[in-house]
Amino acid sequence: MPFPNQRTYTIEDIYNLPDGQRAELIDGTMYDIAPPTFQHQKLVMEISATIRNYIKSSAGSCEVLPAPFAVFLTGDDKTYVEPDISVICDRNKISDRGCEGAPDLVIEVVSPSSRKMDYVRKNTVYAEANVREYWIVDPQKERTTVYRYEDDVAPTIFSFDQAITVGIYKDLSITISELLHL
């Protein structure tokens, strides 16, 4: 949900938030981040671990970083996001501050309060920032919407029981329902 004030915010405003308060910044508008649920965190953990284990077993060089992890998508000070999961393959983008530019893969787990943000606003922002692949994992609808912006702007929708091939790793697939029953 956007902050009520209509002024333009900057990354400095994000850093000046009270301890414990989290927000994201898109084009100068600040959006509050609600605390995640157990199911949300379980999904973030299991998906992150699956991708991390794959990278380790294949001697890959990408990094898997769950939220809270700062991603500075643009070169300005008006956009700052904390994707639930960021996979970054260009280590030159990683700094002590966070990710400087677009991750290769971004995964958002939908919460009731983030539905519109994840499906509409962030989809546009990630596409414009040249994120290669964006997943929207929706526990309420038991589906995952996958955008592979390099291939097509149209999404592919998978039920939680279907295996999803990770576009940046053609030999890795994830079935969300299997992760929920661990």
PDB file of all heavy atoms in Angstrom, residues 73-93:
ATOM      1  N   LEU A  73      17.244  -1.035  -9.052  1.00  0.00           N
ATOM      2  CA  LEU A  73      16.999  -1.401 -10.445  1.00  0.00           C
ATOM      3  C   LEU A  73      17.456  -0.351 -11.439  1.00  0.00           C
ATOM      4  O   LEU A  73      17.815  -0.683 -12.562  1.00  0.00           O
ATOM      5  CB  LEU A  73      15.504  -1.664 -10.658  1.00  0.00           C
ATOM      6  CG  LEU A  73      14.954  -2.921 -10.025  1.00  0.00           C
ATOM      7  CD1 LEU A  73      13.437  -2.937 -10.117  1.00  0.00           C
ATOM      8  CD2 LEU A  73      15.534  -4.167 -10.673  1.00  0.00           C
ATOM      9  N   THR A  74      17.385   0.900 -11.052  1.00  0.00           N
ATOM     10  CA  THR A  74      17.712   1.986 -11.973  1.00  0.00           C
ATOM     11  C   THR A  74      18.880   2.788 -11.427  1.00  0.00           C
ATOM     12  O   THR A  74      19.271   2.632 -10.279  1.00  0.00           O
ATOM     13  CB  THR A  74      16.494   2.923 -12.149  1.00  0.00           C
ATOM     14  OG1 THR A  74      16.166   3.480 -10.870  1.00  0.00           O
ATOM     15  CG2 THR A  74      15.286   2.165 -12.688  1.00  0.00           C
ATOM     16  N   GLY A  75      19.406   3.646 -12.228  1.00  0.00           N
ATOM     17  CA  GLY A  75      20.529   4.466 -11.805  1.00  0.00           C
ATOM     18  C   GLY A  75      20.119   5.675 -10.985  1.00  0.00           C
ATOM     19  O   GLY A  75      20.979   6.429 -10.532  1.00  0.00           O
ATOM     20  N   ASP A  76      18.826   5.866 -10.772  1.00  0.00           N
ATOM     21  CA  ASP A  76      18.390   7.036 -10.008  1.00  0.00           C
ATOM     22  C   ASP A  76      18.148   6.662  -8.545  1.00  0.00           C
ATOM     23  O   ASP A  76      18.322   5.509  -8.151  1.00  0.00           O
ATOM     24  CB  ASP A  76      17.151   7.684 -10.630  1.00  0.00           C
ATOM     25  CG  ASP A  76      15.920   6.788 -10.587  1.00  0.00           C
ATOM     26  OD1 ASP A  76      15.816   5.929  -9.697  1.00  0.00           O
ATOM     27  OD2 ASP A  76      15.039   6.963 -11.445  1.00  0.00           O
ATOM     28  N   ASP A  77      17.736   7.623  -7.757  1.00  0.00           N
ATOM     29  CA  ASP A  77      17.516   7.370  -6.328  1.00  0.00           C
ATOM     30  C   ASP A  77      16.030   7.264  -5.994  1.00  0.00           C
ATOM     31  O   ASP A  77      15.624   7.471  -4.864  1.00  0.00           O
ATOM     32  CB  ASP A  77      18.191   8.445  -5.480  1.00  0.00           C
ATOM     33  CG  ASP A  77      17.553   9.814  -5.639  1.00  0.00           C
ATOM     34  OD1 ASP A  77      16.785  10.015  -6.608  1.00  0.00           O
ATOM     35  OD2 ASP A  77      17.820  10.682  -4.790  1.00  0.00           O
ATOM     36  N   LYS A  78      15.212   6.914  -6.985  1.00  0.00           N
ATOM     37  CA  LYS A  78      13.767   6.873  -6.777  1.00  0.00           C
ATOM     38  C   LYS A  78      13.163   5.472  -6.889  1.00  0.00           C
ATOM     39  O   LYS A  78      11.953   5.308  -6.830  1.00  0.00           O
ATOM     40  CB  LYS A  78      13.080   7.832  -7.745  1.00  0.00           C
ATOM     41  CG  LYS A  78      13.408   9.279  -7.412  1.00  0.00           C
ATOM     42  CD  LYS A  78      12.704  10.241  -8.319  1.00  0.00           C
ATOM     43  CE  LYS A  78      13.042  11.671  -7.993  1.00  0.00           C
ATOM     44  NZ  LYS A  78      14.440  11.993  -7.892  1.00  0.00           N
ATOM     45  N   THR A  79      14.021   4.452  -7.075  1.00  0.00           N
ATOM     46  CA  THR A  79      13.522   3.086  -7.157  1.00  0.00           C
ATOM     47  C   THR A  79      14.420   2.162  -6.342  1.00  0.00           C
ATOM     48  O   THR A  79      15.631   2.112  -6.548  1.00  0.00           O
ATOM     49  CB  THR A  79      13.439   2.601  -8.617  1.00  0.00           C
ATOM     50  OG1 THR A  79      12.539   3.473  -9.334  1.00  0.00           O
ATOM     51  CG2 THR A  79      12.911   1.186  -8.709  1.00  0.00           C
ATOM     52  N   TYR A  80      13.774   1.459  -5.404  1.00  0.00           N
ATOM     53  CA  TYR A  80      14.443   0.526  -4.499  1.00  0.00           C
ATOM     54  C   TYR A  80      13.432  -0.567  -4.179  1.00  0.00           C
ATOM     55  O   TYR A  80      12.335  -0.272  -3.707  1.00  0.00           O
ATOM     56  CB  TYR A  80      14.828   1.279  -3.221  1.00  0.00           C
ATOM     57  CG  TYR A  80      15.178   0.424  -2.028  1.00  0.00           C
ATOM     58  CD1 TYR A  80      16.495   0.184  -1.693  1.00  0.00           C
ATOM     59  CD2 TYR A  80      14.179  -0.126  -1.221  1.00  0.00           C
ATOM     60  CE1 TYR A  80      16.822  -0.577  -0.580  1.00  0.00           C
ATOM     61  CE2 TYR A  80      14.495  -0.891  -0.113  1.00  0.00           C
ATOM     62  CZ  TYR A  80      15.817  -1.115   0.199  1.00  0.00           C
ATOM     63  OH  TYR A  80      16.136  -1.870   1.288  1.00  0.00           O
ATOM     64  N   VAL A  81      13.766  -1.816  -4.462  1.00  0.00           N
ATOM     65  CA  VAL A  81      12.858  -2.915  -4.165  1.00  0.00           C
ATOM     66  C   VAL A  81      13.582  -3.986  -3.360  1.00  0.00           C
ATOM     67  O   VAL A  81      14.813  -4.046  -3.340  1.00  0.00           O
ATOM     68  CB  VAL A  81      12.240  -3.534  -5.446  1.00  0.00           C
ATOM     69  CG1 VAL A  81      11.295  -2.547  -6.132  1.00  0.00           C
ATOM     70  CG2 VAL A  81      13.322  -3.993  -6.415  1.00  0.00           C
ATOM     71  N   GLU A  82      12.790  -4.820  -2.706  1.00  0.00           N
ATOM     72  CA  GLU A  82      13.305  -5.963  -1.954  1.00  0.00           C
ATOM     73  C   GLU A  82      12.550  -7.208  -2.416  1.00  0.00           C
ATOM     74  O   GLU A  82      11.616  -7.659  -1.756  1.00  0.00           O
ATOM     75  CB  GLU A  82      13.115  -5.771  -0.452  1.00  0.00           C
ATOM     76  CG  GLU A  82      13.967  -4.701   0.154  1.00  0.00           C
ATOM     77  CD  GLU A  82      13.807  -4.609   1.674  1.00  0.00           C
ATOM     78  OE1 GLU A  82      13.124  -5.471   2.283  1.00  0.00           O
ATOM     79  OE2 GLU A  82      14.370  -3.672   2.248  1.00  0.00           O
ATOM     80  N   PRO A  83      12.922  -7.775  -3.570  1.00  0.00           N
ATOM     81  CA  PRO A  83      12.225  -8.979  -4.035  1.00  0.00           C
ATOM     82  C   PRO A  83      12.337 -10.096  -2.992  1.00  0.00           C
ATOM     83  O   PRO A  83      13.324 -10.167  -2.257  1.00  0.00           O
ATOM     84  CB  PRO A  83      12.978  -9.362  -5.309  1.00  0.00           C
ATOM     85  CG  PRO A  83      13.703  -8.134  -5.730  1.00  0.00           C
ATOM     86  CD  PRO A  83      14.005  -7.379  -4.473  1.00  0.00           C
ATOM     87  N   ASP A  84      11.343 -10.968  -2.961  1.00  0.00           N
ATOM     88  CA  ASP A  84      11.409 -12.089  -2.032  1.00  0.00           C
ATOM     89  C   ASP A  84      12.638 -12.944  -2.302  1.00  0.00           C
ATOM     90  O   ASP A  84      13.300 -13.401  -1.376  1.00  0.00           O
ATOM     91  CB  ASP A  84      10.136 -12.929  -2.106  1.00  0.00           C
ATOM     92  CG  ASP A  84       8.950 -12.198  -1.507  1.00  0.00           C
ATOM     93  OD1 ASP A  84       9.126 -11.522  -0.470  1.00  0.00           O
ATOM     94  OD2 ASP A  84       7.851 -12.302  -2.061  1.00  0.00           O
ATOM     95  N   ILE A  85      12.957 -13.155  -3.585  1.00  0.00           N
ATOM     96  CA  ILE A  85      14.158 -13.904  -3.973  1.00  0.00           C
ATOM     97  C   ILE A  85      14.779 -13.214  -5.181  1.00  0.00           C
ATOM     98  O   ILE A  85      14.089 -12.920  -6.156  1.00  0.00           O
ATOM     99  CB  ILE A  85      13.833 -15.366  -4.334  1.00  0.00           C
ATOM    100  CG1 ILE A  85      13.156 -16.078  -3.166  1.00  0.00           C
ATOM    101  CG2 ILE A  85      15.103 -16.112  -4.769  1.00  0.00           C
ATOM    102  CD1 ILE A  85      12.571 -17.444  -3.515  1.00  0.00           C
ATOM    103  N   SER A  86      16.086 -12.976  -5.102  1.00  0.00           N
ATOM    104  CA  SER A  86      16.843 -12.429  -6.233  1.00  0.00           C
ATOM    105  C   SER A  86      17.940 -13.422  -6.589  1.00  0.00           C
ATOM    106  O   SER A  86      18.672 -13.881  -5.706  1.00  0.00           O
ATOM    107  CB  SER A  86      17.510 -11.099  -5.863  1.00  0.00           C
ATOM    108  OG  SER A  86      16.569 -10.137  -5.491  1.00  0.00           O
ATOM    109  N   VAL A  87      18.055 -13.751  -7.875  1.00  0.00           N
ATOM    110  CA  VAL A  87      19.155 -14.571  -8.355  1.00  0.00           C
ATOM    111  C   VAL A  87      19.990 -13.671  -9.265  1.00  0.00           C
ATOM    112  O   VAL A  87      19.490 -13.160 -10.266  1.00  0.00           O
ATOM    113  CB  VAL A  87      18.669 -15.828  -9.107  1.00  0.00           C
ATOM    114  CG1 VAL A  87      19.860 -16.644  -9.599  1.00  0.00           C
ATOM    115  CG2 VAL A  87      17.757 -16.665  -8.215  1.00  0.00           C
ATOM    116  N   ILE A  88      21.241 -13.488  -8.872  1.00  0.00           N
ATOM    117  CA  ILE A  88      22.118 -12.548  -9.565  1.00  0.00           C
ATOM    118  C   ILE A  88      23.323 -13.320 -10.092  1.00  0.00           C
ATOM    119  O   ILE A  88      24.073 -13.919  -9.317  1.00  0.00           O
ATOM    120  CB  ILE A  88      22.574 -11.426  -8.605  1.00  0.00           C
ATOM    121  CG1 ILE A  88      21.343 -10.749  -7.999  1.00  0.00           C
ATOM    122  CG2 ILE A  88      23.478 -10.431  -9.318  1.00  0.00           C
ATOM    123  CD1 ILE A  88      21.597 -10.083  -6.680  1.00  0.00           C
ATOM    124  N   CYS A  89      23.497 -13.301 -11.410  1.00  0.00           N
ATOM    125  CA  CYS A  89      24.579 -14.058 -12.033  1.00  0.00           C
ATOM    126  C   CYS A  89      25.792 -13.201 -12.365  1.00  0.00           C
ATOM    127  O   CYS A  89      26.886 -13.730 -12.532  1.00  0.00           O
ATOM    128  CB  CYS A  89      24.064 -14.774 -13.278  1.00  0.00           C
ATOM    129  SG  CYS A  89      22.762 -15.978 -12.873  1.00  0.00           S
ATOM    130  N   ASP A  90      25.627 -11.906 -12.461  1.00  0.00           N
ATOM    131  CA  ASP A  90      26.740 -10.989 -12.709  1.00  0.00           C
ATOM    132  C   ASP A  90      27.214 -10.445 -11.364  1.00  0.00           C
ATOM    133  O   ASP A  90      26.606  -9.545 -10.801  1.00  0.00           O
ATOM    134  CB  ASP A  90      26.286  -9.847 -13.622  1.00  0.00           C
ATOM    135  CG  ASP A  90      27.393  -8.858 -13.940  1.00  0.00           C
ATOM    136  OD1 ASP A  90      28.495  -8.945 -13.345  1.00  0.00           O
ATOM    137  OD2 ASP A  90      27.145  -7.965 -14.770  1.00  0.00           O
ATOM    138  N   ARG A  91      28.283 -11.017 -10.852  1.00  0.00           N
ATOM    139  CA  ARG A  91      28.766 -10.627  -9.519  1.00  0.00           C
ATOM    140  C   ARG A  91      29.208  -9.170  -9.454  1.00  0.00           C
ATOM    141  O   ARG A  91      29.307  -8.608  -8.361  1.00  0.00           O
ATOM    142  CB  ARG A  91      29.884 -11.546  -9.064  1.00  0.00           C
ATOM    143  CG  ARG A  91      29.335 -12.925  -8.747  1.00  0.00           C
ATOM    144  CD  ARG A  91      30.397 -13.800  -8.152  1.00  0.00           C
ATOM    145  NE  ARG A  91      29.796 -15.067  -7.780  1.00  0.00           N
ATOM    146  CZ  ARG A  91      29.773 -15.518  -6.557  1.00  0.00           C
ATOM    147  NH1 ARG A  91      30.293 -14.822  -5.591  1.00  0.00           N
ATOM    148  NH2 ARG A  91      29.223 -16.687  -6.304  1.00  0.00           N
ATOM    149  N   ASN A  92      29.453  -8.549 -10.589  1.00  0.00           N
ATOM    150  CA  ASN A  92      29.802  -7.126 -10.596  1.00  0.00           C
ATOM    151  C   ASN A  92      28.633  -6.252 -10.163  1.00  0.00           C
ATOM    152  O   ASN A  92      28.815  -5.087  -9.836  1.00  0.00           O
ATOM    153  CB  ASN A  92      30.289  -6.688 -11.981  1.00  0.00           C
ATOM    154  CG  ASN A  92      31.624  -7.316 -12.329  1.00  0.00           C
ATOM    155  OD1 ASN A  92      32.498  -7.471 -11.466  1.00  0.00           O
ATOM    156  ND2 ASN A  92      31.781  -7.704 -13.581  1.00  0.00           N
ATOM    157  N   LYS A  93      27.412  -6.816 -10.190  1.00  0.00           N
ATOM    158  CA  LYS A  93      26.235  -6.063  -9.751  1.00  0.00           C
ATOM    159  C   LYS A  93      26.074  -6.079  -8.230  1.00  0.00           C
ATOM    160  O   LYS A  93      25.271  -5.332  -7.694  1.00  0.00           O
ATOM    161  CB  LYS A  93      24.958  -6.646 -10.386  1.00  0.00           C
ATOM    162  CG  LYS A  93      24.851  -6.402 -11.874  1.00  0.00           C
ATOM    163  CD  LYS A  93      23.549  -6.959 -12.398  1.00  0.00           C
ATOM    164  CE  LYS A  93      23.408  -6.709 -13.888  1.00  0.00           C
ATOM    165  NZ  LYS A  93      22.133  -7.251 -14.393  1.00  0.00           N
TER     166      LYS A  93
END
